[in-house]
């Protein structure tokens, strides 16, 4: 792992050289979820990174925006000498990928959206209600219960067995990043906005990825993405939910490689 400091932002990143360049983007708490997928993309150059903010004197974290995270990704690409790359984003990371595609189109060859944490779906009120106990647990100081509740909400009750089997350190890493996630990254999602106007500025090929067993909110999100990008290619990942690149990395990798091979950067 290498590191890069950008003001009060510290990046730790892993660069694997191969063929065409692929950036894998996620919230800092869940970066290791890409490990099984990256192992199957050896014919590509991959860049994975975790972004951390410096804690304030009071121990908290400042506000963060998706736009700032996208700018951080661009600066990391500059640092490693990548002018253009395919961008793969999962959940929160997919929002960053969309922002990159609209605001830095010359840096993005294609966009793969793995179950983006989009807003404006019909079940938004139910999602908000379901997250209230999670937020309450965090505010009470029980970070483990908060992170467990959040992951149960998005990934299902069996998520921990999957993570412990495939990436044994993943939950502990997420817990280490809980303060940053709940104080900065989750609010960034809540403040994010995107619609048909912004979608019209995305000219790159788009891959719309959904787990075949994912929760309703992600099914609705996939349909919203398709309404934004009618020409987007779809990929349904069998035997997988929101943890799709952990549960079925082979299917995700095969779908990605097929998509990228048809849309080379050149």
């Amino acid at each position: 792992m290498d590191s890069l400091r950008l003001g009060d932002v510290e990046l730790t990143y892993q660069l694997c050289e191969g063929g065409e360049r692929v950036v894998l983007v996620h919230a800092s708490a869940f970066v290791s979820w890409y490990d099984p997928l990256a192992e199957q993309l050896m014919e590509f150059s991959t860049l994975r990174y975790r972004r951390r903010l410096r804690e304030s004197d009071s121990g908290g974290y400042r506000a963060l925006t998706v736009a700032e995270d996208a700018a951080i990704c661009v600066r990391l690409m500059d640092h490693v000498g990548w002018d253009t790359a395919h961008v793969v984003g999962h959940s929160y990371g997919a929002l960053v990928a969309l922002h990159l595609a609209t605001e830095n189109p010359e840096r993005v060859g294609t966009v793969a959206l793995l179950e983006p944490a989009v807003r404006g779906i019909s079940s938004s009120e139910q999602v908000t209600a379901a997250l209230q106990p999670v937020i309450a647990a965090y505010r009470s100081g029980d970070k483990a219960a908060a992170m467990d509740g959040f992951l149960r909400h998005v990934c299902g009750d069996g998520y921990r067995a999957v993570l412990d089997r495939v990436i044994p350190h993943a939950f502990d890493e997420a817990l280490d990043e809980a303060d940053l996630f709940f104080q900065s990254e989750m609010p960034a999602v809540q403040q994010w906005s995107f619609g048909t106007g912004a979608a019209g500025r995305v000219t790159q090929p788009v891959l719309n990825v959904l787990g075949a067993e994912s929760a309703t909110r992600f099914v609705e999100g996939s349909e919203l993405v398709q309404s934004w990008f009618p020409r987007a290619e779809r990929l349904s990942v069998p035997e997988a939910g929101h943890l799709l690149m952990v549960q079925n990395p082979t299917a995700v990798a095969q779908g990605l490689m097929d998509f990228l091979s048809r849309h080379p950067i050149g």
Side-chain angles (χ1 to χ4, degrees):
M1 299 292 290
D2 293 303
S3 62
L4 174 66
R5 172 123 4 224
L6 303 170
D8 71 341
V9 176
E10 181 182 6
L11 301 177
T12 53
Y13 65 92
Q14 184 172 2
L15 175 63
C16 298
E17 296 286 1
E20 289 215 349
R21 298 164 173 175
V22 180
V23 182
L24 304 169
V25 189
H26 213 318
S28 290
F30 313 121
V31 171
S32 62
W33 293 7
Y34 277 125
D35 290 357
L37 176 62
E39 290 175 0
Q40 302 204 28
L41 297 177
M42 299 304 292
E43 67 183 72
F44 295 90
S45 295
T46 57
L47 177 61
R48 288 172 280 165
Y49 66 97
R50 174 174 280 114
R51 180 261 310 115
R52 292 186 175 95
L53 301 175
R54 184 182 302 146
E55 287 186 83
S56 67
D57 293 339
S58 61
Y61 291 97
R62 65 173 175 82
L64 180 74
T65 66
V66 170
E68 181 183 2
D69 250 356
I72 290 168
C73 183
V74 169
R75 293 184 68 181
L76 178 59
M77 290 174 63
D78 289 340
H79 177 72
V80 300
W82 286 16
D83 54 355
T84 311
H86 303 284
V87 181
V88 178
H90 178 251
S91 201
Y92 170 85
L95 310 188
V96 177
L98 281 171
H99 193 90
L100 282 167
T102 57
E103 302 302 323
N104 303 92
E106 74 285 357
R107 310 302 297 267
V108 180
T110 66
V111 186
L113 305 174
L114 281 57
E115 299 201 350
V118 295
R119 303 176 65 198
I121 56 176
S122 58
S123 61
S124 289
E125 290 187 4
Q126 294 95 312
V127 170
T128 299
L131 289 175
Q132 291 310 303
V134 172
I135 295 171
Y138 176 74
R139 289 175 176 170
S140 74
D142 194 342
K143 290 188 282 189
M147 185 59 72
D148 177 69
F150 174 79
L151 292 176
R152 287 180 185 276
H153 170 69
V154 296
C155 300
D157 289 339
Y159 83 90
R160 186 67 186 269
V162 175
L163 287 180
D164 288 349
R165 183 177 70 253
V166 182
I167 316 171
H169 55 85
F171 183 80
D172 289 339
E173 286 187 354
L175 197 56
D176 288 342
E177 306 294 333
D179 287 333
L180 181 63
F181 177 72
F182 286 108
Q183 293 178 25
S184 297
E185 291 172 333
M186 183 180 283
V189 174
Q190 295 166 344
Q191 296 164 10
W192 177 80
S193 63
F194 193 88
T196 54
R201 303 203 304 273
V202 177
T203 59
Q204 302 91 339
V206 175
L207 182 64
N208 183 7
V209 185
L210 176 68
E213 300 174 2
S214 287
T216 299
R217 64 172 294 185
F218 297 113
V219 176
E220 293 175 353
S222 178
E223 293 306 313
L224 182 57
V225 167
Q226 203 67 32
S227 73
W228 289 337
F229 310 111
R231 295 184 179 180
E233 300 179 33
R234 289 182 183 261
L235 173 62
S236 177
V237 182
E239 301 178 354
H242 196 56
L243 274 172
L244 45 91
M245 66 275 214
V246 180
Q247 292 171 301
N248 198 342
T250 299
V252 177
Q254 289 175 343
L256 272 176
M257 288 188 289
D258 177 64
F259 173 69
L260 299 180
S261 68
R262 287 183 283 104
H263 303 288
I265 293 175

